[in-house]
Amino acid sequence: MGVGGSKVSDTFDTTPDHPDKMANINEKNVYFGTDSLKKYFNPDCQPPLPLVELPEHLNPYYHDGVRIYAKMMTMHPANNVKSMPALNMLESSVQADKTNTIIEYSSGSTVISMSMIARVMHGVQDTRAFLSNKTSDAKLKLMQFFGLNITLFGGPSQPEPVDSRGGIQNARRMAMESEDIVNPNQYENDKNWQSHIRWTGPQIYKQLPEINVLCAGMGTSGTMTGLGTYFKSVKPSVTRLGVCTAAGDRVPGPRSFALMRPVEFPWKEAVDVIEEVGSSDSYTLSLQLCREGLVCGPSSGFNLQGLFQMVSKRKAAGTLSDLAGPDGLTHCVFLCCDLPYQYIEEYFQKLGTTQFPPIRNERLTKVDLHRYDEAWERDALEVLPEVYGSPRSLAETPLREITLKPQHRVIDLRKAADFEEWHLPESINLPLISAGPHTPSPFSDPTVLEAQWVELEQIFHDRLVSDLGSHHVVVVCYDGDTARVATSVLRARSIEADSVRGGYRALKIYGIGNDGPITADEKVKVPIATTVSVSAVTLD
């Protein structure tokens, strides 16, 4: 039955030979003109969304004559099955030059689709999401990403539509109190399920007239109600399978069978069989589909698992062949509803680490957290004249004749003994425990990088950073790599720091510092060295 008791056939012509709008398909999939985005979002201007048969290795019932197809609702521009209801509901509820705001209680896909479609199709910029305070942080950020104004509500994450305490009725009340606010209300709006009579059902039937089984999840029940109603009209032999969440479990989107009780859509007349599916199977199958190239979220794996369960029961009962068509095969379609990215954390929570390849050098996720810039790693002959102001090239000037420019500092990270033997003038020695002349590069050994980064974070404490604040700092080490890490740490603290590429080994190659070790008398005469304790360092 349709709205107001009318038959579906009175609202939409569902006869198989009806010359529907799909006859005008945009075969080249190109959208021109000032209304190109409107055409892009309009299913009547697009080729049908893909219908993809699962290969044999993903179909455990292939040799039983079962063929399984994924209807990729993810390929709509809004990337989810809720785009069809959003289009249909907004088309009939938004009033031009009057509607300024859309409000919907939704955990993600519906209201995100509405926000895009409201802008593209109707020029409405303000879409507001009412949703549960139990919504994941990833989903909240995704909605913020799409520009949604978010209001959270406590209580059940899937409130009953008629519960006056929940967000569904709050959204409804706000729309009733203001003429410029529209609440499409996916839970009570017949345009929700009728969108699948208008678009999704005809697409599937035109793509696969041999269809014998149709499978979709039950959330608002709009998808299954629309598809089940459509196929009851055009091909009554199709078995219509609705999938609900197993009691006490949770999969994003669908509801448990108990929560279907208050849903007012005519879903009972649109469904022949109900299967209940748990989250572990849903996430596992979704992960498998994604890795095989059918990128889809957990509710897609949920639908496929429901189909597997029904086929398995039929096979055990010896009635599987009753579903087959004239060709002897059973052609089954399940819906892939949305993408997996917003649920990534839940995949790891539900499935555990064994399903995922390990991360090598995972310890590096907690260290070396600041950015690098190749401009901060400088050649000695470029940066040292800036610091010392040599009248001639640095390689030709004895170090004893060089003095440090004001507002510049040179920090030497080598061991104290190596620093005492030879160093740049007026440099400050901050010897690292984790870095020696034979220590591997921190970029070749993650344990070295971890140790050096932690030590550098400790060395460059607030007092030292405060002393360096107005200075240009040049950092040197044995081979340049440790100084590169130090520069990253200093730059993160807003210090203008550079490292010497290649470190002291590069200086030796350039011939810098070959005037030999400094004598005791020279040390007294020229204050060119400072060795300090890391714990007590100050640059006053």
Side-chain angles (χ1 to χ4, degrees):
M1 297 294 287
V3 179
S6 63
K7 295 180 180 178
V8 172
S9 57
D10 294 335
T11 308
F12 303 103
D13 190 338
T14 56
T15 54
D17 59 349
H18 176 62
D20 56 25
K21 293 181 181 179
M22 284 194 295
N24 299 319
I25 283 172
N26 173 11
E27 293 182 356
K28 294 184 179 179
N29 209 10
V30 179
Y31 307 88
F32 297 99
T34 56
D35 59 348
S36 58
L37 277 176
K38 289 184 177 181
K39 294 174 183 174
Y40 177 53
F41 270 77
N42 185 352
D44 294 330
C45 300
Q46 301 171 339
L49 299 177
L51 190 68
V52 184
E53 182 181 355
L54 299 191
E56 183 178 340
H57 68 278
L58 292 177
N59 177 3
Y61 303 100
Y62 186 87
H63 294 289
D64 298 300
V66 176
R67 299 294 180 266
I68 299 175
Y69 307 81
K71 177 62 173 175
M72 302 303 294
M73 305 304 293
T74 56
M75 300 298 285
H76 185 272
N79 296 139
N80 65 77
V81 69
K82 299 294 188 178
S83 56
M84 303 301 187
L87 275 162
N88 212 37
M89 288 188 287
L90 291 179
E91 180 182 85
S92 62
S93 59
V94 172
Q95 299 182 51
D97 301 322
K98 187 174 182 181
T99 301
N100 295 321
T101 300
I102 310 293
I103 297 180
E104 184 71 6
Y105 188 92
S106 166
S107 62
S109 293
T110 300
V111 76
I112 289 173
S113 295
M114 282 183 179
S115 70
M116 286 187 274
I117 291 164
R119 287 190 181 97
V120 170
M121 307 298 279
H122 306 287
V124 176
Q125 302 297 316
D126 182 18
T127 301
R128 304 181 186 182
F130 284 9
L131 65 160
S132 169
N133 62 337
K134 298 163 187 63
T135 304
S136 70
D137 183 64
K139 275 194 173 182
L140 293 175
K141 284 186 169 59
L142 185 65
M143 284 186 270
Q144 288 179 299
F145 176 85
F146 282 103
L148 284 154
N149 182 314
I150 298 171
T151 300
L152 300 180
F153 287 84
S157 59
Q158 290 181 317
E160 292 191 3
V162 296
D163 188 343
S164 62
R165 299 164 295 180
I168 296 174
Q169 291 303 317
N170 271 277
R172 183 180 185 181
R173 281 193 294 270
M174 286 188 66
M176 292 176 66
E177 294 168 359
S178 176
E179 292 185 354
D180 65 352
I181 296 177
V182 165
N183 170 222
N185 193 352
Q186 61 176 319
Y187 302 93
E188 300 177 352
N189 191 335
D190 285 342
K191 295 294 183 180
N192 176 341
W193 60 272
Q194 289 175 353
S195 67
H196 298 292
I197 294 176
R198 182 178 181 183
W199 290 304
T200 315
Q203 280 192 17
I204 293 172
Y205 190 48
K206 184 169 184 176
Q207 291 170 306
L208 189 70
E210 304 91 340
I211 183 172
N212 308 113
V213 177
L214 176 76
C215 174
M218 306 281 282
T220 66
S221 83
T223 304
M224 194 64 235
T225 300
L227 289 174
T229 302
Y230 174 79
F231 277 100
K232 185 176 182 178
S233 174
V234 300
K235 191 175 181 181
S237 62
V238 171
T239 297
R240 303 161 301 168
L241 169 62
V243 189
C244 292
T245 310
D249 208 341
R250 177 84 172 88
V251 177
R255 291 172 172 246
S256 67
F257 186 73
L259 287 176
M260 293 302 300
R261 178 182 55 80
V263 176
E264 296 184 357
F265 293 161
W267 61 270
K268 292 180 182 178
E269 293 79 21
V271 177
D272 300 308
V273 184
I274 294 286
E275 287 290 341
E276 296 181 314
V277 169
S279 58
S280 179
D281 289 330
S282 303
Y283 281 85
T284 298
L285 276 179
S286 166
L287 182 67
Q288 187 178 8
L289 290 172
C290 287
R291 289 176 174 176
E292 294 291 337
L294 292 172
V295 182
C296 58
S299 61
S300 307
F302 172 85
N303 292 339
L304 180 57
Q305 177 62 25
L307 179 59
F308 282 171
Q309 289 176 192
M310 189 200 77
V311 171
S312 176
K313 290 174 183 177
R314 285 273 193 162
K315 181 178 177 180
T319 61
L320 181 56
S321 60
D322 294 346
L323 300 176
D327 60 359
L329 300 175
T330 303
H331 299 277
C332 308
V333 174
F334 74 99
L335 266 65
C336 286
C337 302
D338 65 359
L339 296 172
Y341 307 113
Q342 60 186 308
Y343 311 108
I344 293 300
E345 287 297 326
E346 284 125 335
Y347 281 89
F348 284 83
Q349 293 167 6
K350 296 284 185 181
L351 304 181
T353 58
T354 57
Q355 293 281 351
F356 304 95
I359 298 174
R360 295 181 181 178
N361 300 334
E362 190 170 5
R363 65 201 310 157
L364 296 185
T365 60
K366 296 180 175 62
V367 300
D368 194 32
L369 304 179
H370 312 309
R371 68 178 289 252
Y372 288 82
D373 191 317
E374 62 182 23
W376 303 340
E377 189 179 22
R378 303 178 64 185
D379 187 270
L381 296 185
E382 173 194 2
V383 70
L384 292 184
E386 292 181 12
V387 175
Y388 289 106
S390 170
R392 296 168 298 183
S393 74
L394 199 63
E396 298 174 359
T397 306
L399 294 183
R400 296 167 182 78
E401 299 179 12
I402 298 174
T403 58
L404 195 64
K405 274 185 175 183
Q407 300 302 308
H408 289 79
R409 299 284 191 188
V410 176
I411 293 178
D412 191 321
L413 302 177
R414 295 178 303 151
K415 299 295 186 184
D418 295 321
F419 179 81
E420 287 295 324
E421 181 178 345
W422 185 86
H423 50 262
L424 288 168
E426 299 184 71
S427 54
I428 299 163
N429 188 208
L430 299 180
L432 297 188
I433 297 171
S434 57
H438 305 296
T439 303
S441 165
F443 302 110
S444 65
D445 187 334
T447 60
V448 172
L449 178 55
E450 180 181 26
Q452 291 187 2
W453 190 83
V454 169
E455 189 176 0
L456 287 164
E457 284 281 309
Q458 294 170 346
I459 286 176
F460 295 125
H461 50 70
D462 291 344
R463 183 180 175 190
L464 176 57
V465 168
S466 177
D467 290 339
L468 292 173
S470 60
H471 294 78
H472 172 218
V473 177
V474 174
V475 188
V476 289
C477 65
Y478 289 101
D479 63 3
D481 286 351
T482 300
R484 187 182 182 213
V485 179
T487 298
S488 173
V489 172
L490 285 167
R491 287 276 182 170
R493 288 163 167 75
S494 300
I495 301 298
E496 184 188 354
D498 295 307
S499 65
V500 176
R501 185 183 297 109
Y504 269 93
R505 291 170 189 169
L507 297 183
K508 290 291 185 181
I509 292 173
Y510 284 134
I512 299 172
N514 287 340
D515 35 344
I518 300 173
T519 66
D521 289 341
E522 288 174 321
K523 283 185 182 180
V524 172
K525 294 177 182 177
V526 183
I528 60 175
T530 307
T531 302
V532 295
S533 165
V534 168
S535 61
V537 67
T538 177
L539 301 180
D540 291 338

